[in-house]
Amino acid sequence: MTMTDDRQERIRNRAHQLWLQEGQPAGHHERHWHQAAADVEQEDAAGKSAAKKPTRKAAGVAKAKAAPKEEAKAATKAGKPKKAATK
């Protein structure tokens, strides 16, 4: 399936969704198609802008290097006996 075929299929599915949501009215197929095309275009634009932003994974590289220190602290805390609460 080509990119155009995939886009057409997404528009077709969205138009069908709109038609069902509106109670399956007759004679509104063009309006549903145009609305669906606009929705798909908006989804594609949002996907492209999200692809340009650095991912959390890429931004978290520095944090991954710091993790061994945090693990050592957690291990030290876990090894200490807990103090009994006094009343």
Side-chain angles (χ1 to χ4, degrees):
M1 190 177 276
T2 66
M3 186 182 259
T4 304
D5 291 340
D6 179 53
R7 185 174 187 279
Q8 289 289 93
E9 184 66 22
R10 288 171 56 211
I11 293 170
R12 185 177 302 113
N13 288 335
R14 179 65 181 136
H16 184 74
Q17 242 180 1
L18 293 169
W19 177 69
L20 290 173
Q21 287 173 354
E22 292 183 14
Q24 305 169 354
H28 294 272
H29 57 278
E30 285 186 28
R31 181 174 56 81
H32 291 145
W33 185 268
H34 291 292
Q35 180 61 51
D39 291 351
V40 167
E41 183 67 33
Q42 187 175 10
E43 287 172 5
D44 290 348
K48 288 179 184 176
S49 67
K52 290 180 183 179
K53 294 180 183 177
T55 61
R56 294 180 108 189
K57 201 173 202 179
V61 171
K63 290 182 182 178
K65 291 180 182 176
K69 290 180 184 176
E70 292 174 14
E71 288 175 9
K73 286 181 184 178
T76 304
K77 288 180 182 177
K80 291 182 181 178
K82 294 183 179 181
K83 294 181 182 178
T86 57
K87 290 185 178 183

